Amino acid sequence: MLIICDDESAPLGPAEIARLPGHIDWIEHMERSGVVLLGGERLRSSDDATSVRTRDGEVLISDGPFMETKEQIGGFALIECADLDAAVEAASRHPFAAHGVIEIRPVWQE
Amino acid sequence: MSEEVERAAAEAFRRHWGQIVATLIGATGDWDLAEECAQDAFELALANWRRDGVPNSPGAWLTTTARNRATDRLRRRSVAAAKLRQVAVMARGEPGPAELAEEMFDGDDASRSGVQDDRLRLIFTCCHPALALDARVALTLRTLAGLGTPEIARAFLVPEPTMAQRLVRAKRKIRNAGIPYRVPPAPLLPERTQAVLGVLYLLFNEGYAATGGAELIRASLTAEAIRLARLLVRLMSGESEVVGLLALMLLHDARGAARLDDAGDLVPLEEQDRARWDTRQIAEGVRLLEAALRRGRPGPYQVQAAIAACHATAADAADTDWEQIALLYERLTGLVPSPVVELNRAVAVAMAHGPQAGLDLVESLEASGALPGYHLLPATRADLLRRLHRCDEAAAAYRQALELVTTDSERRFLLRRLAALTLGG
C-alpha cells in the first residue's frame, strides 16, 4: 500500500491528478515494469475528516484528522510487486513524491 | 589438545561464521533458523573435535553440519519441499583463503557482474537503506561477524534487551517489508554500496575513536570492520571506493599502537612515536590505494586514504607534505562538502601556508555558524592563535573548547595545552 501524503494547501481533484503528465507516466511505468496497480483513490481533504474512538462504551467523535500535521494522507494506491525495492521504485516515481511523502506499508499476510 | 581445538574453533568461527549464516539464509530465507543452525554447528564442533581431532577442512565440516541441522529442523517443521531441496543441494564449498590482497584485482568486470556470493547478498541486505542506521550496523555485526547480542550492546553502550529488541525488529522488518536478499541491480548499486561502506566505516570508527574501559571490545570492532572490508574488496574487486575504504582503514589502524600513551591519553599525530607504527600495514594500505587510484575514479574514501597515506609515509612530523594534504582536503570538500572537512582543511592550510591562512578559514567557518557546540572548532582556533603568539585570545579559546569537550582524554590534552600557554606566558 502506498500512502500518499502531501501538503493540502493546494489540493488537486482526482480528475486533475489523472491528467498530470507525471501521473500518466507513473501508471505507464508501472505497467511496463510488471507492478500491478490493484486500486487506489484520492481522498477528500483532512478538513472533511472525522475521527472516532470509543472509550468506556462512549463514542467520542471529533472534527479533523487523527494527526494535525501539514502533510496529510491525501490518497492511496494498492500495488502488487516483487519486493521492497520494486515498491520503492514505484513510490519514487509517483509525482507527489517530489513534494510530499509516500509511506510504503506491506499488507499483512500470514 | 583441548586448547588447540578451542583455538581452531575460534579461528573457524572468525573465518566461516558469516559464510555459513549467509548460505543458510540464501537457501532457507529464514534468518533465525540460519543463525541457530550455525550456532549448533559450532557447538557440535567443539565436542566432536575434542573427541576426533580437528578435521582437515573445518569450514567444510561446519558447513555440512549446519546444513544437516537445517535439513532436520525443516523436516521436523514439515515445510515446503522446495526449501528442503535447496538446503540439500546447498554449496558445500570451502570458503576462500584469507590471502585476499593478492587476488585484489583479479577477474574482469564481466565475471564480477556474475558474483552471487551469499555473503555479499547478506551485507547488502543488512545495510538496506530501509533499515535504521543503528540496526544496519548491529545486524551486520551479528550475521556477518558473529558477534553476540551482549557484545554488540556493550560496543554501542545500550542495554542488552534494547539491542536484542533492535535485532529482532530489524529481522522482522526484512521479512515483513520484503527487503530482497540480493546484491542490488546495477542502477541501485552505487547508492547501496555507499550505504554498505558507510556502515563498515562507522564500525571502524566506533572501534578507533574509543578509549579506556571498553577498549578491548572496541578494538575487535576495528578488526571486524577491516575483515569485512577485505571480504567486500574480494567480492567487488572492481569498485575502487571499496578498495579506498580498506586502504583508509589500514592506514589509520597502522598508527593504533602510537595513538595512546601509557595513561591512555591521546597522543597527537605530530608527537607520535613513528617507530611504533605498523610499517607492513602502511605499505599494504599505500599499495591498495595506488591500485585504486589507477582506476581513475577517486571518491571520498580514496581521497581520505590519500591524506592518511601522506601522514603515514612521512619520515617525521616535519617531513609531512602539508601542501599536498591541503590540496586533498580541497578535493574532499568538492566531493563531500562538510564543515568538519573544511575545519581539517584549515589545519592543513595553516601547516602549509602559516597559521594566519588557517585562522582566516576557521574564522569564516565560525562566522557561518557551522558546527555549534563542536569542541574542535575553538580548539583549532586556540592552537592557531597560540602559534601566532596571541596568547590571551588562545587561552580564551582553549577555555571555550574545554566547556564543550566530552571525553576525558581530550579534556586532559586541552588542559595541558592551556597550562603550557599560561605558564609560558
Side-chain angles (χ1 to χ4, degrees):
Chain A
M1 165 91 115
L2 305 184
I3 303 162
I4 299 147
C5 313
D6 200 14
D7 182 355
E8 297 185 293
S9 52
L12 297 176
E16 289 162 295
I17 289 172
R19 279 198 301 273
L20 289 175
H23 209 79
I24 296 165
D25 289 349
W26 181 62
I27 303 228
E28 280 175 359
H29 175 83
M30 286 203 294
E31 277 168 8
R32 276 200 309 278
S33 58
V35 175
V36 183
L37 183 61
L38 295 170
E41 294 292 349
R42 173 74 168 113
L43 303 181
R44 284 280 182 194
S45 100
S46 63
D47 287 347
D48 299 325
T50 305
S51 299
V52 177
R53 64 206 90 190
T54 60
R55 298 289 182 270
D56 302 324
E58 194 183 347
V59 179
L60 304 169
I61 299 172
S62 57
D63 176 32
F66 164 61
M67 278 223 289
E68 291 287 353
T69 64
K70 191 163 69 94
E71 275 158 343
Q72 287 291 346
I73 299 172
F76 68 90
L78 194 58
I79 63 171
E80 199 172 75
C81 58
D83 53 41
L84 181 63
D85 284 353
V88 169
E89 157 94 0
S92 69
R93 285 172 181 272
H94 191 282
F96 282 42
H99 35 88
V101 176
I102 301 194
E103 181 177 321
I104 301 169
R105 290 278 284 274
V107 171
W108 194 301
Q109 283 167 324
E110 292 300 339
Chain B
M1 181 63 202
S2 158
E3 216 170 274
E4 189 193 322
V5 166
E6 267 160 41
R7 227 187 357 260
E11 167 70 7
F13 186 86
R14 205 174 57 73
R15 282 180 55 186
H16 303 299
W17 171 269
Q19 171 71 50
I20 293 169
V21 170
T23 314
L24 282 169
I25 292 175
T28 65
D30 186 329
W31 289 56
D32 292 329
L33 177 86
E35 278 184 39
E36 284 159 20
C37 294
Q39 194 68 53
D40 288 352
F42 280 97
E43 274 164 27
L44 284 170
L46 270 180
N48 276 269
W49 297 358
R50 275 197 196 112
R51 195 186 57 224
D52 307 333
V54 178
N56 287 333
S57 174
W61 191 98
L62 286 161
T63 308
T64 307
T65 307
R67 187 192 57 196
N68 292 342
R69 298 292 292 180
T71 318
D72 286 352
R73 289 196 183 207
L74 286 172
R75 198 167 280 140
R76 232 174 300 148
R77 284 199 223 155
S78 65
V79 295
K83 265 190 193 175
L84 268 172
R85 264 200 309 280
Q86 255 173 301
V87 175
V89 300
M90 198 177 95
R92 50 173 82 206
E94 164 82 314
E99 300 80 37
L100 308 173
E102 277 69 27
E103 326 171 4
M104 202 100 323
F105 286 123
D106 284 359
D108 55 13
D109 284 10
S111 72
R112 195 166 47 80
S113 64
V115 163
Q116 284 301 322
D117 188 287
D118 276 316
R119 276 171 303 177
L120 190 57
R121 284 195 203 123
L122 188 55
I123 292 181
F124 275 98
T125 307
C126 289
C127 297
H128 196 284
L131 296 168
L133 186 60
D134 53 9
R136 286 182 224 164
V137 177
L139 209 54
T140 303
L141 283 174
R142 173 60 170 266
T143 56
L144 279 145
L147 259 62
T149 309
E151 286 169 279
I152 306 173
R154 247 177 297 154
F156 288 92
L157 307 173
V158 299
E160 200 181 317
T162 308
M163 185 50 77
Q165 190 54 39
R166 214 174 268 176
L167 285 162
V168 167
R169 196 188 163 274
K171 279 188 262 184
R172 200 165 52 206
K173 170 133 191 200
I174 288 172
R175 188 175 64 240
N176 291 345
I179 289 177
Y181 183 71
R182 62 153 190 227
V183 178
L188 292 175
L189 199 54
E191 166 203 334
R192 296 289 167 83
T193 303
Q194 283 312 308
V196 171
L197 297 182
V199 162
L200 293 189
Y201 197 36
L202 200 70
L203 219 63
F204 178 83
N205 279 322
E206 196 66 40
Y208 192 69
T211 56
E215 198 182 340
L216 272 179
I217 291 286
R218 302 283 178 118
S220 81
L221 288 186
T222 312
E224 278 314 320
I226 291 177
R227 201 169 64 84
L228 290 172
R230 281 190 194 282
L231 174 67
L232 204 61
V233 162
R234 192 159 63 96
L235 300 172
M236 301 181 70
S237 59
E239 292 297 324
S240 54
E241 272 292 86
V242 177
V243 182
L245 176 62
L246 175 57
L248 174 61
M249 290 178 179
L250 289 171
L251 289 165
H252 275 315
D253 190 57
R255 301 200 300 256
R259 284 177 75 236
L260 298 178
D261 63 18
D262 296 336
D265 281 359
L266 274 177
V267 181
L269 190 60
E270 68 266 22
E271 290 166 24
Q272 286 176 15
D273 175 6
R274 288 171 193 234
R276 294 176 71 192
W277 289 1
D278 184 337
T279 46
R280 259 185 46 195
Q281 202 169 317
I282 291 171
E284 190 195 358
V286 169
R287 192 162 48 80
L288 286 169
L289 173 65
E290 283 169 356
L293 288 171
R294 272 200 296 277
R295 305 227 143 192
R297 291 190 302 268
Y301 291 114
Q302 290 168 77
V303 175
Q304 289 177 81
I307 293 168
C310 284
H311 288 300
T313 56
D316 55 66
D319 192 41
T320 308
D321 187 352
W322 284 106
E323 222 155 301
Q324 174 75 8
I325 293 173
L327 282 173
L328 286 165
Y329 270 118
E330 200 177 326
R331 182 105 196 223
L332 193 58
T333 309
L335 290 168
V336 280
S338 102
V340 173
V341 173
E342 188 61 15
L343 184 62
N344 286 323
R345 183 167 85 92
V347 173
V349 165
M351 294 303 287
H353 306 293
Q356 186 61 53
L359 188 62
D360 291 345
L361 288 173
V362 169
E363 283 176 347
S364 72
L365 198 56
E366 274 178 327
S368 74
L371 301 172
Y374 187 56
H375 71 279
L376 287 178
L377 187 56
T380 305
R381 190 159 49 85
D383 189 53
L384 296 173
L385 288 164
R386 178 181 64 84
R387 280 152 58 190
L388 287 164
H389 307 293
R390 288 156 65 176
C391 297
D392 291 346
E393 289 167 87
Y398 275 123
R399 289 193 190 97
Q400 208 185 332
L402 277 163
E403 278 171 27
L404 300 170
V405 74
T406 52
T407 70
D408 287 342
S409 69
E410 282 182 292
R411 178 173 297 113
R412 285 195 295 271
F413 172 77
L414 289 169
L415 281 170
R416 274 203 308 276
R417 278 288 163 96
L418 180 60
L421 194 68
T422 36
L423 285 176

